[in-house]
Amino acid sequence: MRSSLIALAALLLAAAPAAAQETGAAASPADTVRRMDLPPEVAEEVIDFFNDGRTLHFSGRTRIPEERTIGGDVAVLGGPLTVAGRIEGRVVVINGDVELLPGAVVDGDLTVVGGTITGLDAARVTGEVLTYTERLRYVHRGDRIARSERDRRRDREAARGGDTGTGRATFLVTSGQSYNRVEGLPIHFGPVIETSGSNPFRLRALAVYRTENGPFFRTERWGHDVSAEQFFGGRRELRVGGGVYSLVAPIEEWHLSDTENGLSTFLFHRDFRDHYERKGWNAYATLEPRGTPLSLTGGYRSERHASLAAGDPWTIWDNGDAWRPQPLVGEGRLNAVFGRIGIDTRNDRDEPSNGWWVQGEVEHALDDGLVRPAALRPTFGPLDEFSLVPVPAEPFGAFTRGMLDIRRYNRIDPDSRLNLRVVVAGSLDGSELPPQRQHALGGEGTLPGYSLLELDCGARVDRVVRPVGGTGPADPDDVPAFFTRYGCDRFALAQAEYRGSLSFRFNWSGRGWWDDDDGDDEGEDGDTYRESWDTDVNWVLFADAGHGWSTRDGLGDDTGVDAGFGLLFDELGVYAAVPLRNGRGVNLFVRLGSRF
């Protein structure tokens, strides 16, 4: 019996190659390689192949019909690719799937990056089949593509601190999040340490010095930010960390970047953010499977929150003007669990032209330890007599809130793209959120056709003062003023923009364009003189719509809708926006980088 089985196995092994050769079936399993991660050398090879002038390019959904034969190499950007006919050459598909229909033939290697292959069993591929599920992040350089700086930076970090890295230890001195009206310029300094190996340990222990908030040795001037992370698994996919901190934090930081807000505050006396104090600790675990666009984080935080009055930091323009009051936040202890999910398939982090970016977050407060502090409301009686009316403290209950930010980047052609964004956030259980968890719309980061934080559900109608020691002076201007709330308990925002390109070329040589291929001329001394200059400017048409809701007495705002136009000179964007509902005039503004 045993000898019969051995003979049968030998017969099957001998017949298999002959059968494959006779039928012209798909590549054998030994010729098929499937990997999750995309090695740097493979990414560079794929890009070189795409940029080769002899390669035939396709973009987006592509189909090779049954009756068609393509001679030569083929590269498809964005896929999917469906093959029913024949391709006589190598095939590379970037960030797309491949479907091979019965009878399809590929006379060469088949490489798929950021996608999958189906139908191999019913088709014929004469070369090697390679599949990498990790997407390729790229940027356009005209008709060519290049690897994104993000991936190049990741490769450099892996080479420096990966499996064979030696680790690093530095003393860091840097500015904090941004120049703001509460702490001026926060300066962070301290050691940053990372060990070597495939499971590095990271430690950052920074002191925080605030240029605002009084004398040098006052405790209000000082904070700290100490954090630690440990990697597990040998591939930097899982890390566990935590931190202890005493920081001034923005209530909402997603409207504008730190750089934009800091420059606006320092130059123009305009702080787009409101702030509060948070002290405490947190612990978390983050999973980022290599080769996938997914990131998952879960954690716990225990913090004490406090309201902060606006300071008096120096600015270049309008330095003598008063600053916008801060809101009173829910003060006390917050114990909460939180979770975050991220999906990032963008081809480039800074200037994406294709892919998805999704960020979601949920936070659940485990107790009701936050209270809006007592304050005094300035009022004037029938005879214009001034008085301060007490406003009692107001507790907040436990809450659950969430936020979801979805962005889609679509490349229409090499010079244009359509970008879409939807953001929804707020209370998930119908409760009123403490001000530090509320939201407001309006201004350059959300609805630029409207004034800053204009759609705030009436939060900035009621103004109170909070005297030191609990007693008020005769003049309310002598004590810090606050708003009783920050914004709405829920909001929804939709943004869309269409971007195109304008090319400008200036020629002062006196020759026709057909005589000036490169715009240069060579002098008698052999030097090259520039006789023309060309540049590309992107233009943007955009529209936004947003609405906010409050659970407090059913308050809410009208829906804000605006539209606008802008010109992008590399990283600098100059825009004009007009409100289409209940607005006032045209708003001219500048942004650094893309709107989203």
Side-chain angles (χ1 to χ4, degrees), residues 155-231:
D155 295 340
R156 291 193 296 266
E157 291 175 354
R160 183 179 65 246
D163 296 345
T164 60
T166 58
R168 63 191 180 102
T170 60
F171 190 88
L172 179 68
V173 179
T174 182
S175 61
Q177 288 190 334
S178 69
Y179 195 81
N180 61 79
R181 70 186 190 280
V182 172
E183 55 182 348
L185 180 66
I187 300 174
H188 295 200
F189 58 94
V192 176
I193 300 171
E194 180 176 344
T195 63
S196 62
S198 59
N199 291 316
F201 172 77
R202 294 174 175 173
L203 174 65
R204 185 180 65 173
L206 304 180
V208 180
Y209 171 71
R210 304 174 180 117
T211 58
E212 190 62 19
N213 291 337
F216 181 84
F217 291 105
R218 284 186 58 178
T219 57
E220 292 86 349
R221 276 218 176 204
W222 294 90
H224 56 271
D225 185 9
V226 180
S227 62
E229 281 186 334
Q230 175 64 58
F231 285 81

Side-chain angles (χ1 to χ4, degrees), residues 286-298:
T286 297
L287 176 64
E288 294 179 338
R290 187 175 177 84
T292 73
L294 183 65
S295 174
L296 296 171
T297 298

Side-chain angles (χ1 to χ4, degrees), residues 197-520:
S198 59
N199 291 316
F201 172 77
R202 294 174 175 173
L203 174 65
R204 185 180 65 173
L206 304 180
V208 180
Y209 171 71
R210 304 174 180 117
T211 58
E212 190 62 19
N213 291 337
F216 181 84
F217 291 105
R218 284 186 58 178
T219 57
E220 292 86 349
R221 276 218 176 204
W222 294 90
H224 56 271
D225 185 9
V226 180
S227 62
E229 281 186 334
Q230 175 64 58
F231 285 81
F232 296 94
R235 295 171 59 86
R236 296 184 177 230
E237 295 180 340
L238 173 65
R239 64 181 187 269
V240 175
V244 180
Y245 40 84
S246 174
L247 299 170
V248 173
I251 292 179
E252 289 189 288
E253 60 182 349
W254 62 275
H255 292 188
L256 297 175
S257 68
D258 294 341
T259 301
E260 289 174 310
N261 189 76
L263 288 175
S264 175
T265 305
F266 179 70
L267 295 176
F268 307 112
H269 198 86
R270 193 181 187 207
D271 189 350
F272 288 92
R273 297 171 174 174
D274 287 344
H275 312 267
Y276 69 103
E277 183 181 50
R278 52 194 291 256
K279 298 180 179 180
W281 62 275
N282 67 9
Y284 62 88
T286 297
L287 176 64
E288 294 179 338
R290 187 175 177 84
T292 73
L294 183 65
S295 174
L296 296 171
T297 298
Y300 173 84
R301 60 170 63 103
S302 179
E303 301 174 346
R304 293 198 66 87
H305 294 178
S307 304
L308 293 172
D312 190 25
W314 185 83
T315 62
I316 292 182
W317 281 284
D318 301 326
N319 185 55
D321 292 352
W323 290 95
R324 182 179 79 252
Q326 286 269 108
L328 287 177
V329 302
E331 298 187 342
R333 174 69 64 180
L334 172 65
N335 298 311
V337 293
F338 62 90
R340 288 191 292 266
I341 182 173
I343 301 173
D344 189 356
T345 66
R346 297 174 297 174
N347 60 332
D348 184 74
R349 182 179 62 177
D350 300 322
E351 283 294 328
S353 60
N354 186 56
W356 291 88
W357 188 88
V358 180
Q359 289 287 318
E361 180 180 2
V362 175
E363 180 186 34
H364 175 67
L366 300 176
D367 48 37
D368 53 359
L370 296 179
V371 178
R372 182 187 291 114
L376 299 172
R377 181 180 290 112
T379 60
F380 291 88
L383 301 179
D384 288 338
E385 68 275 12
F386 169 76
S387 63
L388 293 172
V389 178
V391 179
E394 181 179 356
F396 294 96
F399 62 88
T400 302
R401 58 106 187 174
M403 184 171 184
L404 181 63
D405 189 343
I406 303 175
R407 309 178 192 182
R408 172 63 189 176
Y409 301 91
N410 304 277
R411 180 173 180 264
I412 306 302
D413 58 46
D415 296 321
S416 61
R417 66 191 70 168
L418 175 64
N419 301 331
L420 306 171
R421 182 189 194 187
V422 175
V423 188
V424 292
S427 174
L428 299 179
D429 57 3
S431 61
E432 180 184 3
L433 296 177
Q436 61 265 45
R437 295 295 188 262
Q438 292 176 344
H439 305 274
L441 300 175
E444 284 75 341
T446 54
L447 295 171
Y450 297 81
S451 59
L452 179 63
L453 308 178
E454 183 173 345
L455 277 69
D456 63 356
C457 297
R460 286 163 181 79
V461 173
D462 190 15
R463 183 178 299 198
V464 298
V465 295
R466 194 181 181 192
V468 178
T471 61
D475 188 352
D477 294 333
D478 293 340
V479 293
F482 293 87
F483 296 116
T484 55
R485 294 184 295 123
Y486 171 79
C488 306
D489 295 310
R490 296 191 183 100
F491 84 94
L493 173 68
Q495 297 178 297
E497 64 176 28
Y498 187 88
R499 298 177 60 173
S501 179
L502 298 173
S503 295
F504 296 93
R505 190 178 186 192
F506 302 92
N507 186 340
W508 50 85
S509 66
R511 295 177 294 173
W513 296 115
W514 51 87
D515 295 327
D516 187 23
D517 294 334
D518 57 7
D520 296 335

